[in-house]
Amino acid sequence: MSGRRTSINDVAKAAGVAIKTVSRVLNNEPNVREETRAQVLAAVKRLNYHPSLSARSLASRRSYLVGLVYDNPSANYTIEVQRGALARCREAKFLLLLHEVAGRSEEVIQDILTFANQTHLDGLIVAPPLSESAELIRALDAQALPFVRIAPNEIKHRSPYVDIDDEAAAREMTEYLIGLGHRSIGFIIGRPGHFASGERLRGYKAALKNHKIPYVPEYVRQGDFLFDSGLEMTRQLLALPKRPTAIFAGNDDMAAGALMAAHEMGVAVPQQLSVAGFDDAAIARTVWPPLTTICQPTYQLAYRAADLLLEMLLSSSTPKPARLAHTLVRRDSTAVAPNGRVK
Amino acid sequence: MSGRRTSINDVAKAAGVAIKTVSRVLNNEPNVREETRAQVLAAVKRLNYHPSLSARSLASRRSYLVGLVYDNPSANYTIEVQRGALARCREAKFLLLLHEVAGRSEEVIQDILTFANQTHLDGLIVAPPLSESAELIRALDAQALPFVRIAPNEIKHRSPYVDIDDEAAAREMTEYLIGLGHRSIGFIIGRPGHFASGERLRGYKAALKNHKIPYVPEYVRQGDFLFDSGLEMTRQLLALPKRPTAIFAGNDDMAAGALMAAHEMGVAVPQQLSVAGFDDAAIARTVWPPLTTICQPTYQLAYRAADLLLEMLLSSSTPKPARLAHTLVRRDSTAVAPNGRVK
DNA sequence: CTGAAAGCGCTTACAG
DNA sequence: CTGAAAGCGCTTACAG
């Protein structure tokens, strides 16, 4: 670290061209002779030159900074989101800044706006459940800050988003259980207000209907996406006179709670009770038995979200939303229903 | 986003001073009259001015960028490290860039150096287990890049670091089990090569010695910090003719594996077997029964690491290493030894 | 296909 | 205690 860092001037001198030409090569602009381009690249390599982000940023009135805001629902989920967004940003030579928020909605919004203003963010990626906040969307709109939402709810807004088909996924899982011979299937709903909670419930209902299985209200319980609610609701479901032979929880944390309730009450999983989750979070593989669940392509969702944002920033267009595929992962927590006939 | 962003010139004009004075106020430099300072701050507020990082960075030859590199050992741990480092960086108006690495040591080092060069990082925070890599330390040294290590091993290097006393913590946990009347205590060692693995083993041995309990080699098994190794080693320990009444695993993931082995073999925890972990990771609270474990102040370690790095950068001194306190967290996985007399 | 000039918004180094 | 000038390393806008 002695003396000056090497700059575009050094490269220009070494390659025998003007700095504008170096700039063209570095930014993959057209109208450079192939030979000239090669000379410049050779000089870049020889001098181990790395362009200065601050200079570029200052001159182009663009920060090359993208923010990722999240209200950490679970560490594993968040890490995957970070990975996906980071990967795409790195490719485009943008920097990703993380910003975790928590607390009341009003403060959270102010917090995010302050973050965006202080860092002069070019754009923002909004992870769920923040992506479901109508107030936040409105506030970002008012700032004219480009943003992309991951798995948002039904809020109508022209900004792009990426998601999966929660209803279809829940329908598939329910039909998978039906296929195993289950006819009494409990369902634990996710936190009220989350769009995904409602969609998953809708998928459960649709599957029952498709198979002409009556909907039993007492089999459907309200949880909140947390372990404890899965535990408590399963205790209630298993205490029912005619208890369900399968329980489908709105996410893996609640499914893990369901497993614990079964252990407590001496109900064998999967022999006497099948349990299914949603998300394929890390907990799905650390509980016993490992959970049958729906795998969301979290990394891909975040990668794609970053991709859409960069497209907005670089071409100032408004890209179309993207819907990605989920998969049903079969593990050991589900099995043929006791006395059940497999279809 | 119409027209120009407000700059230091606008503030200077509005406050009736030179831009240098605005700069002084913003950077808390001395030699500004209190009245002038107030005028400037009022103008800053009125115009909702936020200084440009790129301009500041370009002029001061400092990127205000700090890197955090990690080889994600567990999502929960990583998230806590991020939180701590982010909090300190935000206070100092530095930006934190994440960089996750994986794979062979040589590639990892090259990857980190490329990251540092491309972003013109001012400094680097190195999380474990990367902080234990002698090759990495050497490479960073060669680049003259300031860095701070979190929980490094015994590598001698003048760069600062933060850690806890792993040996003392393991000693305390072992003595806690002894205090519950246990005399046959199994131990599952963490991944070989990790400094913490050896320190924790040392603490276990020291406690036995302090209490004149003979060291039984077959009670000590080699794991690798992963769930499966805890499962397998506990199966072996519980198959012993005289099986231990307590098992202390070198981390929580292995302790969770130990719990599953006990469930499998019909050994009641904690009535017939006490199980203790280390780290207080999220899994410690999702397994059943919840784990007694050692809580590392992960957030604080990272916060402090960032603090030391910033001190290095801003005062160009070399701060002293910091050692932080751990705590023993009692939960339901440990109890009085069967037929044990509590001391 | 290539380049010279101006300027982005700050800090540094200096003067008073 | 305050300020005018120079310059950080790029891109933009323009000229040829």
Side-chain angles (χ1 to χ4, degrees):
Chain A
M1 297 298 190
S2 50
R4 263 175 56 265
R5 76 151 50 146
T6 89
S7 80
I8 196 172
N9 290 297
D10 304 316
V11 176
K13 217 164 287 170
V17 297
I19 62 169
K20 176 67 237 197
T21 299
V22 177
S23 174
R24 285 203 179 85
V25 172
L26 260 24
N27 295 298
N28 287 312
E29 286 175 29
N31 297 331
V32 181
R33 238 193 325 155
E34 209 36 69
E35 196 188 323
T36 313
R37 181 181 301 275
Q39 280 169 24
V40 169
L41 288 176
V44 164
K45 188 149 197 182
R46 184 148 29 90
L47 300 177
N48 188 29
Y49 168 68
H50 296 279
S52 155
L53 185 76
S54 25
R56 170 180 274 183
S57 162
L58 186 57
S60 65
R61 290 102 182 278
R62 180 175 270 169
S63 68
Y64 292 97
L65 258 31
V66 162
L68 170 65
V69 290
Y70 51 89
D71 180 355
N72 186 23
S74 108
N76 289 289
Y77 182 80
T78 300
I79 286 272
E80 277 301 294
V81 170
Q82 292 178 358
R83 275 198 190 121
L86 270 168
R88 187 65 190 93
C89 286
R90 206 172 293 163
E91 288 169 4
K93 312 234 170 182
F94 272 67
L95 302 183
L96 185 75
L97 300 183
L98 303 185
H99 193 77
E100 181 177 343
V101 297
R104 289 194 316 107
S105 164
E106 240 174 76
E107 287 157 10
V108 161
I109 291 172
Q110 191 48 57
D111 186 16
I112 292 174
L113 295 182
T114 303
F115 165 61
N117 281 325
Q118 287 191 21
T119 55
H120 298 285
L121 247 33
D122 285 338
L124 198 61
I125 299 171
V126 186
L130 283 175
S131 52
E132 303 183 2
S133 161
E135 301 96 302
L136 177 60
I137 304 309
R138 218 177 298 123
L140 294 176
D141 220 20
Q143 300 274 316
L145 181 67
F147 65 96
V148 170
R149 293 161 291 159
I150 298 177
N153 64 4
E154 75 273 55
I155 296 169
K156 295 281 178 277
H157 191 269
R158 60 190 160 62
S159 67
Y161 60 84
V162 294
D163 67 0
I164 66 163
D165 191 336
D166 277 280
E167 183 190 338
R171 186 162 17 86
E172 279 170 39
M173 179 60 85
T174 310
E175 295 190 327
Y176 170 66
L177 294 170
I178 294 172
L180 289 172
H182 295 280
R183 291 297 174 273
S184 312
I185 303 174
F187 185 80
I188 306 177
I189 313 172
R191 195 181 308 172
H194 280 236
F195 183 59
S197 302
E199 289 290 285
R200 293 171 193 180
L201 175 60
R202 216 183 318 281
Y204 163 80
K205 288 181 178 173
L208 294 186
K209 194 168 178 192
N210 287 350
H211 293 266
K212 302 191 169 42
I213 298 175
Y215 175 81
V216 182
E218 65 180 357
Y219 282 171
V220 177
R221 304 275 161 161
Q222 181 67 56
D224 61 5
F225 280 145
L226 300 179
F227 183 89
D228 286 347
S229 69
L231 175 64
E232 180 53 31
M233 292 308 143
T234 301
R235 282 179 183 146
Q236 296 181 11
L237 287 170
L238 294 182
L240 249 29
K242 176 169 187 286
R243 72 183 193 206
T245 62
I247 292 177
F248 177 18
N251 76 347
D252 289 339
D253 284 314
M254 296 194 295
L259 286 182
M260 188 181 292
H263 292 328
E264 269 182 10
M265 301 173 74
V267 175
V269 176
Q271 296 81 358
Q272 297 172 271
L273 179 74
S274 284
V275 174
F278 202 112
D279 284 349
D280 200 19
I283 197 174
R285 274 153 294 166
T286 56
V287 292
W288 193 81
L291 283 173
T292 292
T293 188
I294 296 288
C295 180
Q296 290 198 55
T298 307
Y299 176 94
Q300 290 298 338
L301 284 166
Y303 182 95
R304 198 62 185 282
D307 190 53
L308 294 180
L309 183 60
L310 291 166
E311 197 181 329
M312 280 180 92
L313 298 179
L314 298 174
S315 74
S316 35
S317 65
T318 300
K320 298 261 166 293
R323 167 155 286 181
L324 305 187
H326 58 263
T327 45
L328 194 162
V329 182
R330 303 174 189 205
R331 297 208 182 86
D332 300 340
S333 66
T334 49
V336 172
N339 311 320
R341 51 195 189 291
V342 181
K343 292 215 296 188
Chain B
M1 293 304 186
S2 50
R4 263 176 55 266
R5 75 149 52 143
T6 89
S7 79
I8 195 171
N9 290 295
D10 304 316
V11 177
K13 217 164 287 173
V17 298
I19 61 168
K20 175 70 236 198
T21 299
V22 177
S23 174
R24 284 202 179 87
V25 171
L26 259 25
N27 295 298
N28 287 312
E29 287 175 29
N31 296 331
V32 181
R33 237 190 330 153
E34 209 35 68
E35 197 187 322
T36 312
R37 180 180 304 275
Q39 279 168 24
V40 169
L41 289 177
V44 163
K45 187 149 197 182
R46 184 147 30 89
L47 300 177
N48 188 29
Y49 168 68
H50 296 280
S52 154
L53 186 77
S54 26
R56 171 182 272 181
S57 162
L58 187 58
S60 65
R61 292 101 184 281
R62 183 175 267 168
S63 69
Y64 292 97
L65 257 31
V66 162
L68 170 64
V69 290
Y70 51 90
D71 180 356
N72 186 22
S74 109
N76 289 289
Y77 181 80
T78 300
I79 287 273
E80 276 302 293
V81 169
Q82 292 177 359
R83 276 199 189 119
L86 270 168
R88 186 64 191 93
C89 286
R90 205 171 294 163
E91 288 169 4
K93 312 232 171 183
F94 272 66
L95 302 183
L96 185 74
L97 300 183
L98 303 186
H99 194 75
E100 181 176 344
V101 297
R104 291 197 313 109
S105 166
E106 240 173 75
E107 287 156 11
V108 161
I109 290 173
Q110 192 47 58
D111 186 16
I112 292 174
L113 295 182
T114 302
F115 166 60
N117 280 324
Q118 288 191 16
T119 54
H120 298 286
L121 247 36
D122 285 338
L124 198 62
I125 300 172
V126 186
L130 283 176
S131 53
E132 302 182 0
S133 160
E135 300 95 303
L136 177 60
I137 304 309
R138 218 177 299 124
L140 294 176
D141 219 20
Q143 301 271 318
L145 181 69
F147 66 94
V148 171
R149 292 162 291 160
I150 299 177
N153 64 4
E154 74 272 59
I155 297 170
K156 294 282 181 275
H157 190 269
R158 61 189 161 62
S159 69
Y161 60 85
V162 292
D163 68 1
I164 66 161
D165 191 337
D166 277 282
E167 184 190 336
R171 186 161 16 86
E172 278 169 41
M173 180 60 85
T174 310
E175 294 188 330
Y176 169 66
L177 294 171
I178 293 171
L180 288 173
H182 296 280
R183 292 298 173 271
S184 312
I185 303 174
F187 185 80
I188 305 177
I189 314 174
R191 194 183 308 172
H194 279 236
F195 185 59
S197 302
E199 289 289 286
R200 292 171 193 180
L201 175 60
R202 217 184 317 282
Y204 164 79
K205 288 181 177 173
L208 295 186
K209 194 167 178 190
N210 288 350
H211 291 268
K212 302 192 170 40
I213 297 175
Y215 175 81
V216 181
E218 64 180 357
Y219 282 172
V220 177
R221 303 275 162 160
Q222 181 67 55
D224 61 4
F225 280 145
L226 300 180
F227 183 88
D228 286 347
S229 69
L231 175 64
E232 180 52 32
M233 293 306 143
T234 301
R235 283 178 183 147
Q236 295 181 12
L237 288 169
L238 295 183
L240 250 29
K242 178 170 187 284
R243 71 182 192 207
T245 62
I247 292 178
F248 177 18
N251 76 347
D252 289 338
D253 285 315
M254 296 195 295
L259 287 182
M260 188 182 292
H263 292 329
E264 269 183 8
M265 301 173 73
V267 176
V269 176
Q271 297 80 358
Q272 298 171 272
L273 179 73
S274 284
V275 173
F278 201 110
D279 284 348
D280 200 20
I283 197 174
R285 276 152 295 166
T286 56
V287 292
W288 193 81
L291 284 172
T292 293
T293 188
I294 295 289
C295 179
Q296 290 199 55
T298 306
Y299 177 94
Q300 289 298 338
L301 284 165
Y303 182 95
R304 198 61 186 281
D307 189 54
L308 294 180
L309 183 61
L310 291 166
E311 196 181 329
M312 279 180 92
L313 298 179
L314 299 174
S315 75
S316 35
S317 64
T318 301
K320 298 262 167 293
R323 166 155 285 181
L324 305 188
H326 58 263
T327 44
L328 194 161
V329 181
R330 302 174 190 204
R331 297 208 182 86
D332 300 339
S333 66
T334 50
V336 171
N339 311 319
R341 52 199 186 289
V342 182
K343 293 214 298 191

